[in-house]
Amino acid sequence: MKNIRRLFSFVTVLVIAGTTGLIWNKRLAIHDWSVLRNYSPPSKIVTLANQDTMNSYAKHMLYINHPLIQEATQFNQSCSSKGREQTIVLGCYHGNQTGLFVFNVKDPKLNGVVQVTLAHEALHAIYDRLSTSQKNHVDTLLLDYYKHDLHDKRILSTIAAYKKSEPDEVVNEMHSVFGTEVLSLPPALENYYKQYFSNRHRIASYAQSYQAVFTNQRLKVQSDDAKLAS
């Protein structure tokens, strides 16, 4: 009888341990199912995700954060404690998949800002979910590109700003900035981003387009200042 009881206790422990292990291994899937159970993404979010050529996984990572396109007052409330992006991109991601917010830029001259913002923040959510080994791999690719092949002065200035404002998140920001604002990346990085976008070049083209608007405005201001000075 004692042996039967011991065997029963042993089997019970194994079942409990196995169930606990299974729940732990599936915790992310359970979490995602829970937050998506009664959620339908707004049509504007779906449209923007499609314009960004997000694949099903990227959309999944976007939707579990219940992304919102917000006007100034709401956006400031949502992102006031998160630290503003140091680029023209206006958005914020709350860690551990707890929210993603984008400022609703309406100026038609700046078409593409919202698309780039959404992709930028979605990449933060994706980076947050990478395993340690995955992060080590992609971090190596990002840093190698930054140290040896990145020559765009604006992007370099952006990364320099992040080093001052978010020194512990620089590589995380590289992951979002390079993926959404650099037209041509080394093959290894291009292949990496193909896991999330079918046409990453389209997103970077949006960024190039609205950056040109800001550049033209800056040059005009500088010209006017020179005329005034003379």
Side-chain angles (χ1 to χ4, degrees), residues 35-60:
V35 299
L36 291 174
R37 182 175 49 177
N38 297 312
Y39 175 74
S40 295
S43 59
K44 185 171 183 178
I45 292 292
V46 174
T47 298
L48 290 168
N50 288 333
Q51 289 173 345
D52 282 336
T53 72
M54 291 186 186
N55 65 13
S56 58
Y57 179 74
K59 289 179 180 177
H60 174 83

Side-chain angles (χ1 to χ4, degrees), residues 59-161:
K59 289 179 180 177
H60 174 83
M61 294 305 299
L62 178 67
Y63 296 160
I64 63 175
N65 283 282
H66 293 193
L68 294 173
I69 310 297
Q70 297 182 317
E71 304 301 328
T73 300
Q74 293 86 356
F75 177 77
N76 288 333
Q77 291 173 351
S78 298
C79 296
S80 61
S81 63
K82 298 305 293 180
R84 292 300 169 77
E85 297 288 359
Q86 299 302 307
T87 67
I88 294 172
V89 175
L90 296 171
C92 68
Y93 160 71
H94 292 219
N96 297 317
Q97 318 300 333
T98 54
L100 192 157
F101 306 92
V102 174
F103 178 63
N104 188 19
V105 178
K106 298 177 181 178
D107 190 336
K109 294 179 182 178
L110 300 179
N111 179 49
V113 171
V114 176
Q115 288 88 339
V116 174
T117 301
L118 194 71
H120 179 111
E121 302 304 337
L123 281 172
H124 280 314
I126 289 168
Y127 187 84
D128 208 8
R129 185 63 70 87
L130 294 177
S131 68
T132 300
S133 61
Q134 289 172 325
K135 280 185 180 177
N136 289 339
H137 172 67
V138 73
D139 286 0
T140 299
L141 297 179
L142 293 165
L143 288 169
D144 183 69
Y145 172 68
Y146 172 69
K147 292 175 181 177
H148 302 107
D149 298 310
L150 177 60
H151 306 295
D152 186 312
K153 292 182 179 179
R154 186 188 66 78
I155 300 295
L156 287 168
S157 177
T158 297
I159 301 305

